[in-house]
Amino acid sequence: LAPACCLLDPDILLSVLIENVYNSISLNLKPVSMRMFSTKKNVVRLPELVDKLAASSGCTKVEAKKNLRASFQVIQDALLEGSNVHIPEFGSLEVRERAARTVTLRGEVRQLNESKGIGFKISNKFKEKLN
């Protein structure tokens, strides 16, 4: 038999591992890059999305996870090709370019290279529901 940890989703295993590492550190300092592992209760992660998708579509959790990951991959591929992605009643995603710039961080001047990022524009229908 495989150990129980091998049967877990790698995403869940990683977040549990990081949480345990933080609990063992005596200082309350967390690296900035670890913000995505927030313990806020209003964060919806992949397992919750899979559960909701499976419940609303009537498919199994395995199928829901496969379909969700495939959807994200299609969106990512389209953005990498330079296309904008428009999802009706949700919003639009597009690749945005940031120019090179100089910033001051903790008294130290740093030069940031030009980079690309993903921009999101909410649809009017979603904005109305939100407000």
mmCIF file of all heavy atoms in Angstrom, residues 31-81:
data_model
loop_
_atom_site.group_PDB
_atom_site.id
_atom_site.type_symbol
_atom_site.label_atom_id
_atom_site.label_comp_id
_atom_site.label_asym_id
_atom_site.label_seq_id
_atom_site.Cartn_x
_atom_site.Cartn_y
_atom_site.Cartn_z
ATOM 1 N N PRO A 31 7.422 35.113 3.981
ATOM 2 C CA PRO A 31 7.904 35.700 2.739
ATOM 3 C C PRO A 31 6.741 36.268 1.926
ATOM 4 O O PRO A 31 5.637 35.734 1.945
ATOM 5 C CB PRO A 31 8.540 34.525 1.993
ATOM 6 C CG PRO A 31 8.639 33.419 2.968
ATOM 7 C CD PRO A 31 7.688 33.699 4.081
ATOM 8 N N VAL A 32 6.989 37.346 1.216
ATOM 9 C CA VAL A 32 5.956 37.988 0.409
ATOM 10 C C VAL A 32 5.388 37.021 -0.619
ATOM 11 O O VAL A 32 4.200 37.011 -0.887
ATOM 12 C CB VAL A 32 6.536 39.243 -0.288
ATOM 13 C CG1 VAL A 32 5.535 39.838 -1.250
ATOM 14 C CG2 VAL A 32 6.960 40.270 0.742
ATOM 15 N N SER A 33 6.226 36.148 -1.186
ATOM 16 C CA SER A 33 5.779 35.238 -2.227
ATOM 17 C C SER A 33 4.808 34.172 -1.721
ATOM 18 O O SER A 33 4.215 33.458 -2.495
ATOM 19 C CB SER A 33 6.972 34.556 -2.890
ATOM 20 O OG SER A 33 7.652 33.769 -1.941
ATOM 21 N N MET A 34 4.632 34.059 -0.424
ATOM 22 C CA MET A 34 3.766 33.033 0.130
ATOM 23 C C MET A 34 2.362 33.563 0.434
ATOM 24 O O MET A 34 1.579 32.902 1.082
ATOM 25 C CB MET A 34 4.385 32.447 1.395
ATOM 26 C CG MET A 34 5.766 31.836 1.156
ATOM 27 S SD MET A 34 5.825 30.714 -0.239
ATOM 28 C CE MET A 34 4.929 29.353 0.424
ATOM 29 N N ARG A 35 2.023 34.760 -0.028
ATOM 30 C CA ARG A 35 0.707 35.328 0.232
ATOM 31 C C ARG A 35 -0.418 34.465 -0.323
ATOM 32 O O ARG A 35 -1.524 34.502 0.159
ATOM 33 C CB ARG A 35 0.605 36.727 -0.363
ATOM 34 C CG ARG A 35 1.397 37.741 0.392
ATOM 35 C CD ARG A 35 1.203 39.105 -0.199
ATOM 36 N NE ARG A 35 2.065 40.042 0.465
ATOM 37 C CZ ARG A 35 2.355 41.220 -0.015
ATOM 38 N NH1 ARG A 35 1.851 41.616 -1.168
ATOM 39 N NH2 ARG A 35 3.150 42.028 0.633
ATOM 40 N N MET A 36 -0.131 33.690 -1.366
ATOM 41 C CA MET A 36 -1.171 32.869 -1.984
ATOM 42 C C MET A 36 -1.656 31.756 -1.059
ATOM 43 O O MET A 36 -2.690 31.173 -1.275
ATOM 44 C CB MET A 36 -0.685 32.281 -3.300
ATOM 45 C CG MET A 36 0.513 31.372 -3.167
ATOM 46 S SD MET A 36 1.156 30.907 -4.754
ATOM 47 C CE MET A 36 0.563 29.255 -4.866
ATOM 48 N N PHE A 37 -0.904 31.478 0.019
ATOM 49 C CA PHE A 37 -1.304 30.452 0.956
ATOM 50 C C PHE A 37 -1.975 31.070 2.168
ATOM 51 O O PHE A 37 -1.740 30.691 3.295
ATOM 52 C CB PHE A 37 -0.098 29.601 1.379
ATOM 53 C CG PHE A 37 0.471 28.829 0.234
ATOM 54 C CD1 PHE A 37 1.616 29.237 -0.398
ATOM 55 C CD2 PHE A 37 -0.189 27.709 -0.242
ATOM 56 C CE1 PHE A 37 2.123 28.532 -1.470
ATOM 57 C CE2 PHE A 37 0.312 26.995 -1.308
ATOM 58 C CZ PHE A 37 1.463 27.408 -1.927
ATOM 59 N N SER A 38 -2.830 32.037 1.902
ATOM 60 C CA SER A 38 -3.543 32.749 2.955
ATOM 61 C C SER A 38 -4.472 31.800 3.707
ATOM 62 O O SER A 38 -5.001 30.849 3.154
ATOM 63 C CB SER A 38 -4.370 33.872 2.320
ATOM 64 O OG SER A 38 -5.212 34.447 3.259
ATOM 65 N N THR A 39 -4.665 32.078 4.985
ATOM 66 C CA THR A 39 -5.569 31.260 5.789
ATOM 67 C C THR A 39 -6.936 31.930 5.929
ATOM 68 O O THR A 39 -7.725 31.533 6.766
ATOM 69 C CB THR A 39 -4.974 31.015 7.189
ATOM 70 O OG1 THR A 39 -4.700 32.281 7.804
ATOM 71 C CG2 THR A 39 -3.710 30.196 7.092
ATOM 72 N N LYS A 40 -7.209 32.943 5.115
ATOM 73 C CA LYS A 40 -8.501 33.609 5.168
ATOM 74 C C LYS A 40 -9.596 32.621 4.790
ATOM 75 O O LYS A 40 -9.429 31.789 3.917
ATOM 76 C CB LYS A 40 -8.541 34.797 4.200
ATOM 77 C CG LYS A 40 -7.613 35.915 4.595
ATOM 78 C CD LYS A 40 -7.714 37.044 3.605
ATOM 79 C CE LYS A 40 -6.749 38.155 3.956
ATOM 80 N NZ LYS A 40 -6.788 39.219 2.956
ATOM 81 N N LYS A 41 -10.742 32.752 5.449
ATOM 82 C CA LYS A 41 -11.835 31.810 5.209
ATOM 83 C C LYS A 41 -12.557 32.067 3.891
ATOM 84 O O LYS A 41 -13.238 31.205 3.393
ATOM 85 C CB LYS A 41 -12.821 31.865 6.376
ATOM 86 C CG LYS A 41 -12.222 31.330 7.648
ATOM 87 C CD LYS A 41 -13.219 31.328 8.767
ATOM 88 C CE LYS A 41 -12.576 30.787 10.027
ATOM 89 N NZ LYS A 41 -13.491 30.757 11.136
ATOM 90 N N ASN A 42 -12.404 33.249 3.306
ATOM 91 C CA ASN A 42 -13.127 33.552 2.077
ATOM 92 C C ASN A 42 -12.332 33.236 0.814
ATOM 93 O O ASN A 42 -12.688 33.663 -0.260
ATOM 94 C CB ASN A 42 -13.564 35.021 2.071
ATOM 95 C CG ASN A 42 -12.388 35.976 2.143
ATOM 96 O OD1 ASN A 42 -11.256 35.574 2.355
ATOM 97 N ND2 ASN A 42 -12.655 37.248 1.973
ATOM 98 N N VAL A 43 -11.248 32.484 0.922
ATOM 99 C CA VAL A 43 -10.460 32.072 -0.237
ATOM 100 C C VAL A 43 -10.989 30.735 -0.731
ATOM 101 O O VAL A 43 -11.081 29.783 0.029
ATOM 102 C CB VAL A 43 -8.962 31.961 0.131
ATOM 103 C CG1 VAL A 43 -8.165 31.420 -1.043
ATOM 104 C CG2 VAL A 43 -8.420 33.295 0.583
ATOM 105 N N VAL A 44 -11.347 30.674 -2.005
ATOM 106 C CA VAL A 44 -11.826 29.423 -2.594
ATOM 107 C C VAL A 44 -10.676 28.806 -3.367
ATOM 108 O O VAL A 44 -10.130 29.421 -4.271
ATOM 109 C CB VAL A 44 -13.034 29.673 -3.529
ATOM 110 C CG1 VAL A 44 -13.500 28.373 -4.160
ATOM 111 C CG2 VAL A 44 -14.166 30.341 -2.776
ATOM 112 N N ARG A 45 -10.318 27.607 -3.007
ATOM 113 C CA ARG A 45 -9.210 26.904 -3.648
ATOM 114 C C ARG A 45 -9.742 25.833 -4.598
ATOM 115 O O ARG A 45 -10.941 25.592 -4.685
ATOM 116 C CB ARG A 45 -8.310 26.297 -2.575
ATOM 117 C CG ARG A 45 -7.615 27.370 -1.739
ATOM 118 C CD ARG A 45 -6.525 26.758 -0.873
ATOM 119 N NE ARG A 45 -5.739 27.778 -0.234
ATOM 120 C CZ ARG A 45 -6.058 28.360 0.928
ATOM 121 N NH1 ARG A 45 -7.152 28.013 1.558
ATOM 122 N NH2 ARG A 45 -5.280 29.276 1.450
ATOM 123 N N LEU A 46 -8.814 25.180 -5.285
ATOM 124 C CA LEU A 46 -9.183 24.178 -6.288
ATOM 125 C C LEU A 46 -10.123 23.098 -5.755
ATOM 126 O O LEU A 46 -11.120 22.786 -6.418
ATOM 127 C CB LEU A 46 -7.922 23.553 -6.890
ATOM 128 C CG LEU A 46 -8.160 22.538 -7.997
ATOM 129 C CD1 LEU A 46 -8.817 23.183 -9.202
ATOM 130 C CD2 LEU A 46 -6.861 21.871 -8.401
ATOM 131 N N PRO A 47 -9.886 22.520 -4.583
ATOM 132 C CA PRO A 47 -10.808 21.477 -4.112
ATOM 133 C C PRO A 47 -12.252 21.966 -3.953
ATOM 134 O O PRO A 47 -13.194 21.251 -4.289
ATOM 135 C CB PRO A 47 -10.225 21.050 -2.761
ATOM 136 C CG PRO A 47 -8.782 21.387 -2.851
ATOM 137 C CD PRO A 47 -8.714 22.627 -3.685
ATOM 138 N N GLU A 48 -12.407 23.211 -3.479
ATOM 139 C CA GLU A 48 -13.759 23.760 -3.333
ATOM 140 C C GLU A 48 -14.400 24.007 -4.698
ATOM 141 O O GLU A 48 -15.583 23.751 -4.893
ATOM 142 C CB GLU A 48 -13.740 25.066 -2.523
ATOM 143 C CG GLU A 48 -13.420 24.864 -1.054
ATOM 144 C CD GLU A 48 -11.921 24.882 -0.760
ATOM 145 O OE1 GLU A 48 -11.116 25.193 -1.654
ATOM 146 O OE2 GLU A 48 -11.558 24.565 0.380
ATOM 147 N N LEU A 49 -13.604 24.491 -5.646
ATOM 148 C CA LEU A 49 -14.125 24.695 -7.003
ATOM 149 C C LEU A 49 -14.553 23.369 -7.620
ATOM 150 O O LEU A 49 -15.608 23.282 -8.257
ATOM 151 C CB LEU A 49 -13.067 25.352 -7.895
ATOM 152 C CG LEU A 49 -12.771 26.816 -7.650
ATOM 153 C CD1 LEU A 49 -11.591 27.262 -8.510
ATOM 154 C CD2 LEU A 49 -13.985 27.675 -7.931
ATOM 155 N N VAL A 50 -13.746 22.342 -7.421
ATOM 156 C CA VAL A 50 -14.067 21.010 -7.960
ATOM 157 C C VAL A 50 -15.366 20.509 -7.345
ATOM 158 O O VAL A 50 -16.243 20.000 -8.053
ATOM 159 C CB VAL A 50 -12.903 20.022 -7.714
ATOM 160 C CG1 VAL A 50 -13.323 18.596 -8.005
ATOM 161 C CG2 VAL A 50 -11.694 20.410 -8.554
ATOM 162 N N ASP A 51 -15.515 20.633 -6.027
ATOM 163 C CA ASP A 51 -16.745 20.193 -5.350
ATOM 164 C C ASP A 51 -17.973 20.907 -5.906
ATOM 165 O O ASP A 51 -18.995 20.280 -6.194
ATOM 166 C CB ASP A 51 -16.654 20.435 -3.843
ATOM 167 C CG ASP A 51 -15.652 19.519 -3.162
ATOM 168 O OD1 ASP A 51 -15.262 18.504 -3.775
ATOM 169 O OD2 ASP A 51 -15.268 19.820 -2.014
ATOM 170 N N LYS A 52 -17.870 22.229 -6.052
ATOM 171 C CA LYS A 52 -19.017 23.008 -6.552
ATOM 172 C C LYS A 52 -19.335 22.676 -8.003
ATOM 173 O O LYS A 52 -20.498 22.579 -8.374
ATOM 174 C CB LYS A 52 -18.744 24.497 -6.382
ATOM 175 C CG LYS A 52 -18.757 24.919 -4.928
ATOM 176 C CD LYS A 52 -18.511 26.392 -4.765
ATOM 177 C CE LYS A 52 -18.502 26.725 -3.276
ATOM 178 N NZ LYS A 52 -18.666 28.148 -3.029
ATOM 179 N N LEU A 53 -18.293 22.484 -8.826
ATOM 180 C CA LEU A 53 -18.508 22.133 -10.225
ATOM 181 C C LEU A 53 -19.147 20.756 -10.345
ATOM 182 O O LEU A 53 -20.088 20.565 -11.114
ATOM 183 C CB LEU A 53 -17.185 22.180 -10.993
ATOM 184 C CG LEU A 53 -17.256 21.865 -12.483
ATOM 185 C CD1 LEU A 53 -18.159 22.855 -13.202
ATOM 186 C CD2 LEU A 53 -15.869 21.872 -13.089
ATOM 187 N N ALA A 54 -18.677 19.805 -9.560
ATOM 188 C CA ALA A 54 -19.241 18.452 -9.586
ATOM 189 C C ALA A 54 -20.700 18.472 -9.146
ATOM 190 O O ALA A 54 -21.552 17.820 -9.756
ATOM 191 C CB ALA A 54 -18.430 17.520 -8.694
ATOM 192 N N ALA A 55 -21.010 19.229 -8.100
ATOM 193 C CA ALA A 55 -22.384 19.298 -7.599
ATOM 194 C C ALA A 55 -23.319 19.976 -8.593
ATOM 195 O O ALA A 55 -24.456 19.535 -8.797
ATOM 196 C CB ALA A 55 -22.414 20.041 -6.270
ATOM 197 N N SER A 56 -22.852 21.035 -9.241
ATOM 198 C CA SER A 56 -23.736 21.770 -10.152
ATOM 199 C C SER A 56 -23.889 21.106 -11.511
ATOM 200 O O SER A 56 -24.900 21.276 -12.173
ATOM 201 C CB SER A 56 -23.237 23.202 -10.326
ATOM 202 O OG SER A 56 -21.999 23.212 -10.994
ATOM 203 N N SER A 57 -22.876 20.321 -11.930
ATOM 204 C CA SER A 57 -22.961 19.708 -13.261
ATOM 205 C C SER A 57 -23.380 18.240 -13.225
ATOM 206 O O SER A 57 -23.690 17.665 -14.259
ATOM 207 C CB SER A 57 -21.600 19.827 -13.968
ATOM 208 O OG SER A 57 -20.637 19.055 -13.300
ATOM 209 N N GLY A 58 -23.350 17.639 -12.039
ATOM 210 C CA GLY A 58 -23.753 16.245 -11.921
ATOM 211 C C GLY A 58 -22.689 15.248 -12.330
ATOM 212 O O GLY A 58 -22.966 14.065 -12.475
ATOM 213 N N CYS A 59 -21.453 15.705 -12.523
ATOM 214 C CA CYS A 59 -20.380 14.770 -12.872
ATOM 215 C C CYS A 59 -19.598 14.392 -11.613
ATOM 216 O O CYS A 59 -19.837 14.938 -10.544
ATOM 217 C CB CYS A 59 -19.451 15.390 -13.926
ATOM 218 S SG CYS A 59 -18.567 16.843 -13.374
ATOM 219 N N THR A 60 -18.676 13.476 -11.758
ATOM 220 C CA THR A 60 -17.877 13.060 -10.607
ATOM 221 C C THR A 60 -16.826 14.129 -10.308
ATOM 222 O O THR A 60 -16.529 14.984 -11.155
ATOM 223 C CB THR A 60 -17.159 11.726 -10.878
ATOM 224 O OG1 THR A 60 -16.184 11.933 -11.914
ATOM 225 C CG2 THR A 60 -18.137 10.639 -11.272
ATOM 226 N N LYS A 61 -16.234 14.047 -9.121
ATOM 227 C CA LYS A 61 -15.201 15.009 -8.753
ATOM 228 C C LYS A 61 -13.963 14.853 -9.638
ATOM 229 O O LYS A 61 -13.311 15.839 -9.984
ATOM 230 C CB LYS A 61 -14.820 14.851 -7.279
ATOM 231 C CG LYS A 61 -15.884 15.350 -6.339
ATOM 232 C CD LYS A 61 -15.426 15.233 -4.900
ATOM 233 C CE LYS A 61 -16.534 15.678 -3.951
ATOM 234 N NZ LYS A 61 -16.087 15.605 -2.545
ATOM 235 N N VAL A 62 -13.653 13.629 -10.021
ATOM 236 C CA VAL A 62 -12.501 13.387 -10.896
ATOM 237 C C VAL A 62 -12.721 14.053 -12.253
ATOM 238 O O VAL A 62 -11.826 14.728 -12.782
ATOM 239 C CB VAL A 62 -12.247 11.866 -11.062
ATOM 240 C CG1 VAL A 62 -11.188 11.592 -12.111
ATOM 241 C CG2 VAL A 62 -11.868 11.242 -9.729
ATOM 242 N N GLU A 63 -13.919 13.883 -12.815
ATOM 243 C CA GLU A 63 -14.238 14.519 -14.091
ATOM 244 C C GLU A 63 -14.248 16.033 -13.961
ATOM 245 O O GLU A 63 -13.770 16.749 -14.840
ATOM 246 C CB GLU A 63 -15.600 14.030 -14.598
ATOM 247 C CG GLU A 63 -15.638 12.577 -15.004
ATOM 248 C CD GLU A 63 -17.043 12.073 -15.266
ATOM 249 O OE1 GLU A 63 -18.001 12.613 -14.672
ATOM 250 O OE2 GLU A 63 -17.182 11.134 -16.058
ATOM 251 N N ALA A 64 -14.804 16.536 -12.857
ATOM 252 C CA ALA A 64 -14.870 17.976 -12.637
ATOM 253 C C ALA A 64 -13.473 18.571 -12.555
ATOM 254 O O ALA A 64 -13.198 19.613 -13.155
ATOM 255 C CB ALA A 64 -15.659 18.276 -11.366
ATOM 256 N N LYS A 65 -12.577 17.906 -11.840
ATOM 257 C CA LYS A 65 -11.206 18.401 -11.706
ATOM 258 C C LYS A 65 -10.499 18.393 -13.061
ATOM 259 O O LYS A 65 -9.807 19.348 -13.422
ATOM 260 C CB LYS A 65 -10.433 17.564 -10.701
ATOM 261 C CG LYS A 65 -9.048 18.089 -10.420
ATOM 262 C CD LYS A 65 -8.390 17.304 -9.304
ATOM 263 C CE LYS A 65 -7.026 17.854 -8.971
ATOM 264 N NZ LYS A 65 -6.390 17.131 -7.873
ATOM 265 N N LYS A 66 -10.700 17.315 -13.809
ATOM 266 C CA LYS A 66 -10.096 17.201 -15.140
ATOM 267 C C LYS A 66 -10.599 18.313 -16.058
ATOM 268 O O LYS A 66 -9.813 18.967 -16.748
ATOM 269 C CB LYS A 66 -10.422 15.830 -15.729
ATOM 270 C CG LYS A 66 -9.844 15.573 -17.090
ATOM 271 C CD LYS A 66 -10.235 14.187 -17.584
ATOM 272 C CE LYS A 66 -9.825 13.984 -19.017
ATOM 273 N NZ LYS A 66 -10.284 12.709 -19.553
ATOM 274 N N ASN A 67 -11.909 18.563 -16.050
ATOM 275 C CA ASN A 67 -12.502 19.596 -16.893
ATOM 276 C C ASN A 67 -12.069 20.998 -16.469
ATOM 277 O O ASN A 67 -11.810 21.862 -17.317
ATOM 278 C CB ASN A 67 -14.026 19.492 -16.881
ATOM 279 C CG ASN A 67 -14.511 18.255 -17.590
ATOM 280 O OD1 ASN A 67 -13.828 17.712 -18.456
ATOM 281 N ND2 ASN A 67 -15.694 17.793 -17.213
ATOM 282 N N LEU A 68 -11.980 21.228 -15.164
ATOM 283 C CA LEU A 68 -11.570 22.531 -14.664
ATOM 284 C C LEU A 68 -10.126 22.820 -15.051
ATOM 285 O O LEU A 68 -9.812 23.901 -15.547
ATOM 286 C CB LEU A 68 -11.747 22.581 -13.141
ATOM 287 C CG LEU A 68 -11.601 23.929 -12.474
ATOM 288 C CD1 LEU A 68 -12.621 24.923 -13.019
ATOM 289 C CD2 LEU A 68 -11.778 23.787 -10.972
ATOM 290 N N ARG A 69 -9.253 21.847 -14.848
ATOM 291 C CA ARG A 69 -7.845 22.030 -15.224
ATOM 292 C C ARG A 69 -7.699 22.215 -16.739
ATOM 293 O O ARG A 69 -6.898 23.020 -17.193
ATOM 294 C CB ARG A 69 -7.007 20.857 -14.746
ATOM 295 C CG ARG A 69 -6.776 20.895 -13.245
ATOM 296 C CD ARG A 69 -5.765 19.833 -12.829
ATOM 297 N NE ARG A 69 -5.618 19.809 -11.397
ATOM 298 C CZ ARG A 69 -4.535 20.242 -10.762
ATOM 299 N NH1 ARG A 69 -3.532 20.724 -11.432
ATOM 300 N NH2 ARG A 69 -4.469 20.179 -9.444
ATOM 301 N N ALA A 70 -8.487 21.486 -17.526
ATOM 302 C CA ALA A 70 -8.433 21.630 -18.985
ATOM 303 C C ALA A 70 -8.896 23.026 -19.400
ATOM 304 O O ALA A 70 -8.311 23.640 -20.297
ATOM 305 C CB ALA A 70 -9.288 20.562 -19.656
ATOM 306 N N SER A 71 -9.930 23.538 -18.738
ATOM 307 C CA SER A 71 -10.423 24.887 -19.037
ATOM 308 C C SER A 71 -9.353 25.928 -18.757
ATOM 309 O O SER A 71 -9.118 26.832 -19.568
ATOM 310 C CB SER A 71 -11.673 25.205 -18.204
ATOM 311 O OG SER A 71 -12.705 24.309 -18.501
ATOM 312 N N PHE A 72 -8.692 25.815 -17.604
ATOM 313 C CA PHE A 72 -7.627 26.754 -17.268
ATOM 314 C C PHE A 72 -6.472 26.645 -18.266
ATOM 315 O O PHE A 72 -5.863 27.652 -18.631
ATOM 316 C CB PHE A 72 -7.121 26.529 -15.845
ATOM 317 C CG PHE A 72 -8.092 26.964 -14.782
ATOM 318 C CD1 PHE A 72 -8.274 26.195 -13.650
ATOM 319 C CD2 PHE A 72 -8.829 28.132 -14.899
ATOM 320 C CE1 PHE A 72 -9.155 26.578 -12.659
ATOM 321 C CE2 PHE A 72 -9.711 28.530 -13.922
ATOM 322 C CZ PHE A 72 -9.883 27.756 -12.790
ATOM 323 N N GLN A 73 -6.173 25.444 -18.716
ATOM 324 C CA GLN A 73 -5.088 25.252 -19.673
ATOM 325 C C GLN A 73 -5.423 25.909 -21.015
ATOM 326 O O GLN A 73 -4.570 26.538 -21.634
ATOM 327 C CB GLN A 73 -4.794 23.758 -19.874
ATOM 328 C CG GLN A 73 -3.559 23.495 -20.712
ATOM 329 C CD GLN A 73 -2.294 24.031 -20.073
ATOM 330 O OE1 GLN A 73 -2.021 23.754 -18.914
ATOM 331 N NE2 GLN A 73 -1.515 24.804 -20.821
ATOM 332 N N VAL A 74 -6.674 25.777 -21.466
ATOM 333 C CA VAL A 74 -7.101 26.402 -22.728
ATOM 334 C C VAL A 74 -6.994 27.920 -22.623
ATOM 335 O O VAL A 74 -6.516 28.590 -23.547
ATOM 336 C CB VAL A 74 -8.539 25.964 -23.088
ATOM 337 C CG1 VAL A 74 -9.106 26.803 -24.216
ATOM 338 C CG2 VAL A 74 -8.564 24.492 -23.461
ATOM 339 N N ILE A 75 -7.422 28.472 -21.484
ATOM 340 C CA ILE A 75 -7.336 29.923 -21.271
ATOM 341 C C ILE A 75 -5.868 30.362 -21.269
ATOM 342 O O ILE A 75 -5.494 31.349 -21.915
ATOM 343 C CB ILE A 75 -8.042 30.320 -19.961
ATOM 344 C CG1 ILE A 75 -9.549 30.116 -20.098
ATOM 345 C CG2 ILE A 75 -7.720 31.760 -19.578
ATOM 346 C CD1 ILE A 75 -10.324 30.233 -18.797
ATOM 347 N N GLN A 76 -5.034 29.617 -20.552
ATOM 348 C CA GLN A 76 -3.610 29.949 -20.489
ATOM 349 C C GLN A 76 -2.965 29.884 -21.872
ATOM 350 O O GLN A 76 -2.199 30.783 -22.246
ATOM 351 C CB GLN A 76 -2.908 28.994 -19.532
ATOM 352 C CG GLN A 76 -1.441 29.315 -19.333
ATOM 353 C CD GLN A 76 -0.759 28.356 -18.366
ATOM 354 O OE1 GLN A 76 -1.264 27.270 -18.090
ATOM 355 N NE2 GLN A 76 0.376 28.743 -17.863
ATOM 356 N N ASP A 77 -3.263 28.859 -22.642
ATOM 357 C CA ASP A 77 -2.698 28.716 -23.984
ATOM 358 C C ASP A 77 -3.112 29.884 -24.877
ATOM 359 O O ASP A 77 -2.296 30.421 -25.625
ATOM 360 C CB ASP A 77 -3.128 27.393 -24.615
ATOM 361 C CG ASP A 77 -2.487 26.182 -23.951
ATOM 362 O OD1 ASP A 77 -1.510 26.356 -23.189
ATOM 363 O OD2 ASP A 77 -2.998 25.057 -24.166
ATOM 364 N N ALA A 78 -4.373 30.295 -24.798
ATOM 365 C CA ALA A 78 -4.855 31.416 -25.610
ATOM 366 C C ALA A 78 -4.118 32.702 -25.241
ATOM 367 O O ALA A 78 -3.707 33.466 -26.121
ATOM 368 C CB ALA A 78 -6.358 31.591 -25.422
ATOM 369 N N LEU A 79 -3.915 32.937 -23.954
ATOM 370 C CA LEU A 79 -3.200 34.138 -23.524
ATOM 371 C C LEU A 79 -1.735 34.100 -23.958
ATOM 372 O O LEU A 79 -1.184 35.119 -24.381
ATOM 373 C CB LEU A 79 -3.309 34.303 -22.008
ATOM 374 C CG LEU A 79 -4.701 34.663 -21.490
ATOM 375 C CD1 LEU A 79 -4.781 34.494 -19.974
ATOM 376 C CD2 LEU A 79 -5.094 36.074 -21.893
ATOM 377 N N LEU A 80 -1.118 32.933 -23.877
ATOM 378 C CA LEU A 80 0.278 32.801 -24.300
ATOM 379 C C LEU A 80 0.439 33.023 -25.804
ATOM 380 O O LEU A 80 1.492 33.471 -26.265
ATOM 381 C CB LEU A 80 0.833 31.431 -23.914
ATOM 382 C CG LEU A 80 1.067 31.221 -22.417
ATOM 383 C CD1 LEU A 80 1.410 29.757 -22.130
ATOM 384 C CD2 LEU A 80 2.157 32.144 -21.901
ATOM 385 N N GLU A 81 -0.605 32.734 -26.576
ATOM 386 C CA GLU A 81 -0.585 32.974 -28.025
ATOM 387 C C GLU A 81 -0.849 34.430 -28.365
ATOM 388 O O GLU A 81 -0.759 34.826 -29.518
ATOM 389 C CB GLU A 81 -1.630 32.098 -28.716
ATOM 390 C CG GLU A 81 -1.316 30.626 -28.688
ATOM 391 C CD GLU A 81 -2.472 29.760 -29.185
ATOM 392 O OE1 GLU A 81 -3.533 30.318 -29.559
ATOM 393 O OE2 GLU A 81 -2.320 28.530 -29.174
#
